Amino acid sequence: MLQSTSLESFFLQFNEANQKWWQSWVNAVAPAGAAALPSGLAPVQGLSTEAFETHSLYYQQQLDLWLQLIGAGNGQKLEPEKGDRRFAAPEWELPLFSFFKQSYLLTSKWLTQMVDHVHADDDTKARMAFFARQYLDAVSPANFAVTNPEVLALAIDTRGESLNEGMKKLLEDIQKGTITMTDESQFVVGENLAVTPGQVVFENELFQLLQYAPTTGDVYETPLLIVPPCVNKYYIMDLKPENSMVRWVVGEGHTTFLVSWKSVTPELGHLKWDDYVEKGVLAAADVVRQISKREKMNVLSFCIGGELVSTAVPVMQARGQDWFESLTLMTVIIDHTEPGDIKHFLDPAVVASRELVIDKGGVISGKELARTFAALRANDLVWNYVVNNYLKGKTPPPFDLLYWNNDSANLALPMHTWFLRNMYFDNNLAKPGSFSLCGVPIDLTAITLPTYVFAAREDHIVPWTSAYRTTGIFQGPLRFVLGASGHIAGTINPVSANKRNYWVNDRLDADPQAWFEAAESRPGSWWQDWAEWLAPRAGQRVAAPKTLGSRQFKPIEPAPGRYVKERLS
């Protein structure tokens, strides 16, 4: 049994450490005025009659719970939502902990209904509902040692060692400023991640360009340029060999180049969106043309990389640079009319304050961005690890995708601030001529390239219905495909695994729901559909190059290169 003095000492230490962690989390993810639930409820003007009825019923149900606890009642029990694993253990059915669970589920239901009954505009109610969910996720009895029966049972079984080990992990993560989501000791970039053979054939202050070694005797004559997001490291496209999209693409016979963005350091804090277009996308495309000795290339882009590529096309058109044969946009928002829950974290006051000092430059921490994305799925990407790591003292299992998720990259403040203002706040990508880049007015409705648009049905970062809006902006032949699962798991879905499914429908209805209702579901990976779409645009098969780079662009170092190996301290 645990000694009462040591247990008391532990909880005093744990409480102090937990307060520090909570404060750092709130400071990192909550916009001004939204850190606590009462602030989110401030706009309420009044409650409806239904709200008071809901309130009365809530008190009656709580009373019933107390009566059940002492054996004097048999009220109906609530069940967690489908997929909620927090209360799955049999210990939660013990009377006291069942009471904690039922009281929490009842309170969650009541608070959600109260928000529904508030007299407020739709945007205010949506914001209130979002932060109500954040609050409810945070105060779950599963997240606290004294109300989690699994934690207490494990502490007794290990004679307190699980609590001591959890304390160590908590203090380590406070030092790192991130939650450990996987056993990071099991991964090394360049050794068991990002291992597709290739060479760095060009580099500047912003990116390294990788060219991959062919694995087939002949290849398509039109090269493929991959532009991943600059918010994270590129190797989400090149994880372990069995789920590497890059390796698969090379195996399909495409001469493949990839942009490896550099995590911004203070001396690069002056970079603007124009620089990511000029020194990034356009510089990479020019080198691909020179090495391949081909006028055109196909371009595959992912997330914010797709927005960079899309804004580069009008600049190229104005300069007479007809370099792209086709575009592929994976989980990309062009029209930000409805960007999803992430809009609740975007504070106009913060952006306005950064715009005042934008000329001075600066760096936006990748850890800050990672915490924001994690908060969108807090139960899975925050509280799950709080319980597993800090309360149970366990090390999470090795998972390559989660290792990548914690390997963040910094962005330049001018670039990031401009991005938030023009895309999320003003939705300028959907407004022809509303801004200029590299001295060129940007009009995405002038893009007539063949375009393949992929979205993921459960994407919490890029809602699929928002990605679908691209079909009403680009004017060239366009194919829209919807995959199952989320932002990453839906996109990185290897053909060899034969998992999930995807939907296709050649008729692009103006209404995304109408498109979906008429769509055909196909089993397996959407990569197969994309490969069939890309092949006719990739030209003839020719002999694979025997060397990488060229006389002008000699190999600098083996892939994955130095830039991707840099980690934030």
Side-chain angles (χ1 to χ4, degrees), residues 145 189 457 493:
V189 175
R457 192 180 181 193
N493 183 20

Side-chain angles (χ1 to χ4, degrees), residues 171-217:
L171 295 176
E172 288 171 1
D173 281 1
I174 288 174
Q175 290 292 322
K176 291 194 307 181
T178 59
I179 298 174
T180 299
M181 297 182 178
T182 185
D183 184 354
E184 297 187 355
S185 66
Q186 300 300 306
F187 300 104
V188 179
V189 175
E191 293 185 14
N192 57 1
L193 296 174
V195 294
T196 302
Q199 293 284 334
V200 175
V201 293
F202 173 83
E203 67 180 35
N204 61 19
E205 63 179 4
L206 189 54
F207 76 97
Q208 289 187 316
L209 183 67
L210 280 57
Q211 182 182 6
Y212 291 97
T215 58
T216 54

